[in-house]
Amino acid sequence: MLDDLDIKRIRGRMLFDSGGNPAVEAEVILENGAQGKAAVSVFDEMNGEEEADYIREWLSEAILFEDAAEQKYIDRLLTEQRDQDDADHKEYGRGKAGVLALSMAAARAAGAGLGLPLYRYLGGTTAPVMPVPVMSMIDGGDWLKGIDFKEIMIVPLNRSSFAEGLRMGAEVYQTLKRLLTLNGFDTSIGGSGGFAADMKSSEEALHYIMDAVRLSGYDPDMDLTAAICGNADDLYAKEEGIYRFNKESLKNGILVHRNQKDMISYYLRLADGFPLGIVTDGLWKQDLESRNRMYQMFQHRLVIASDDFFASNGVEIQLKKAGTVTAALEMIQEAKKMGSKVIVSNSDKETEEAFLGDMAVAAGADYIKCGAPCRGECTAKYNELLRIEEFYSRQC
């Protein structure tokens, strides 16, 4: 029977994420035979097998025999169980991946039990809204190669469908690879699937990306725009009050340090020189004054995004940071009430889990940021969105 959605059995198992790090998969089986699975990379340096045991031995007790369709209640029971265990055992951090995996698996099982695709189960009967893909082209950040910013991405503008936007990005990505190869750059890829090419600066990276856009037959001012993930917390040296651009310094033979005012001026120069549409994590998160100043300057030109809702017209939401499906959906609703653009995003450590694609459609997110159109953990989300769009278009 479709309405018999009580949770009958729960399994937990250790897997591996795209970087060969531990991941955990939760499996939820319902009384009516429906089941759902979800995989999450294990946070930080936690032990993957221990996290799987935690699902089987502790978290399962919290929600066994409960109605899987009561997502908010399920998520509350899971988080309460984890918080109680943290208090009792003082092992803070344990169970975070397990809670999220179980939250996602329960949602998937409930959807299957009702005969609904996941995006329809989470989003209801309204017509699905396809997000715009934000695709990595040049990677940097913590990688030994690449640029100081975490990544520079492209965003398709004039497209009739998600499929067309993704195709545009994939074409530019392949053109950029050939262009970099011809110019002697290494085309090995970074954590987001973008090329970790050793370039002198972010400006040089943007020049190459825009050249690839043109060579692919598109207009940088009309068809695609650039996006930057600054990951500024990793650049900022708190004791000195400066942002260290160590790779740019090394490649140019001079120290490149920027203070708060310099950083805002730098973003202004990039926005004036290139079709820049989105900046995420542009300044040190705790520098509220500078962040507000940057927002006031750019709010009518760019999407200034962060994950804390402060001084921004865009909110970046990760399932991993939200902790549960319910918390992520509530954050999206809050962002929409504020009139902010919603960017659902993958995290630094990912599996081939495609849940994020369904959630983006269900919640009507404006953008989805899953890395380059390359690597299985990135393309799994994009491919799921292609399936959703095809399925819905057949119903119309």
Side-chain angles (χ1 to χ4, degrees):
M1 294 175 61
L2 288 177
D3 60 352
D4 196 356
L5 302 177
D6 289 352
I7 296 172
K8 175 183 176 182
R9 188 177 302 126
I10 291 172
R11 298 187 179 118
R13 60 180 64 91
M14 176 182 165
L15 301 177
F16 292 92
D17 68 15
S18 60
N21 304 302
V24 66
E25 182 176 71
E27 183 174 1
V28 172
I29 302 168
L30 307 185
E31 286 287 350
N32 67 3
Q35 58 183 315
K37 293 186 289 188
V40 175
S41 180
V42 173
F43 304 168
D44 303 322
E45 301 301 324
M46 301 296 291
N47 183 290
E49 196 57 62
E50 287 181 1
E51 198 78 2
D53 288 340
Y54 188 71
I55 288 176
R56 293 189 292 261
E57 297 173 13
W58 293 89
L59 293 176
S60 63
E61 294 297 319
I63 63 171
L64 205 60
F65 308 122
E66 299 291 348
D67 185 348
E70 297 292 334
Q71 186 73 44
K72 185 176 290 189
Y73 182 58
I74 292 290
D75 289 345
R76 180 163 66 82
L77 291 175
L78 289 171
T79 53
E80 285 177 353
Q81 179 70 54
R82 184 200 62 206
D83 292 345
Q84 184 61 53
D85 291 340
D86 280 350
D88 291 345
H89 302 286
K90 294 183 171 58
E91 295 183 19
Y92 299 103
R94 186 177 75 156
K96 289 171 63 179
V99 166
L100 178 56
L102 261 180
S103 174
M104 295 159 61
R108 186 168 272 143
L114 291 169
L116 295 172
L118 179 58
Y119 75 89
R120 181 67 76 198
Y121 170 70
L122 293 175
T125 58
T126 56
V129 176
M130 302 303 297
V132 178
V134 181
M135 296 164 279
S136 181
M137 295 287 123
I138 300 287
D139 272 12
D142 293 336
W143 292 86
L144 295 176
K145 298 179 179 181
I147 56 176
D148 289 286
F149 285 145
K150 184 178 180 181
E151 55 185 324
I152 298 180
M153 302 154 284
I154 58 170
V155 186
L157 296 176
N158 296 321
R159 80 276 181 272
S160 60
S161 64
F162 174 83
E164 183 184 1
L166 184 62
R167 176 181 55 77
M168 292 165 68
E171 289 174 357
V172 174
Y173 183 82
Q174 295 298 333
T175 301
L176 179 61
K177 182 177 182 178
R178 293 191 290 271
L179 186 61
L180 294 176
T181 300
L182 288 171
N183 284 272
F185 288 104
D186 183 1
T187 55
S188 58
I189 57 176
S192 298
F195 301 111
D198 279 327
M199 294 188 168
K200 293 180 180 179
S201 65
S202 297
E203 289 99 323
E204 185 177 24
L206 281 162
H207 275 297
Y208 273 101
I209 292 170
M210 291 304 114
D211 284 346
V213 169
R214 295 184 188 92
L215 288 170
S216 299
Y218 299 113
D219 185 339
D221 295 312
M222 297 293 294
D223 299 321
L224 294 121
T225 188
I228 292 173
C229 177
N231 204 28
D233 282 8
D234 285 350
L235 298 176
Y236 191 67
K238 184 177 179 181
E239 65 281 357
E240 301 173 62
I242 58 171
Y243 296 84
R244 293 176 171 272
F245 283 71
N246 292 329
K247 294 175 185 176
E248 191 174 338
S249 299
L250 180 64
K251 291 160 194 170
N252 290 281
I254 57 172
L255 284 177
V256 181
H257 294 165
R258 296 181 169 99
N259 61 26
Q260 288 87 340
K261 184 178 179 181
D262 294 334
M263 282 294 289
I264 295 174
S265 297
Y266 185 47
Y267 286 120
L268 181 60
R269 189 168 84 230
L270 293 178
D272 286 343
F274 302 94
L276 184 61
I278 302 174
V279 174
T280 63
D281 297 329
L283 295 175
W284 180 45
K285 188 167 291 186
Q286 296 182 42
D287 186 0
L288 303 183
E289 182 180 348
S290 295
R291 287 178 62 193
N292 189 57
R293 189 181 306 121
M294 180 172 171
Y295 171 67
Q296 295 300 327
M297 180 178 293
F298 288 103
Q299 61 177 312
H300 300 299
R301 295 184 61 179
L302 311 174
V303 175
I304 303 296
S306 68
D307 62 3
D308 62 1
F309 292 78
F310 178 77
S312 63
N313 54 6
V315 178
E316 184 173 3
I317 294 170
Q318 294 183 10
L319 273 165
K320 188 176 288 187
K321 289 184 178 179
T324 64
V325 173
T326 297
L329 293 174
E330 287 176 348
M331 289 172 67
I332 292 172
Q333 290 173 359
E334 183 180 352
K336 287 188 168 186
K337 287 179 182 177
M338 295 171 56
S340 296
K341 297 292 186 182
V342 174
I343 305 170
V344 294
S345 172
N346 63 356
S347 58
D348 292 336
K349 296 177 181 178
E350 277 290 335
T351 71
E352 69 276 14
E353 175 60 61
F355 192 99
L356 192 69
D358 286 87
M359 192 183 78
V361 173
D366 298 282
Y367 302 98
I368 185 166
K369 177 173 167 280
C370 292
C374 166
R375 296 173 59 118
E377 75 278 12
C378 302
T379 57
K381 284 80 167 169
Y382 294 138
N383 288 339
E384 178 69 3
L385 286 162
L386 291 175
R387 297 184 193 102
I388 292 171
E389 185 171 66
E390 179 190 7
F391 177 81
Y392 181 70
S393 65
R394 289 204 308 264
Q395 310 307 307
C396 298

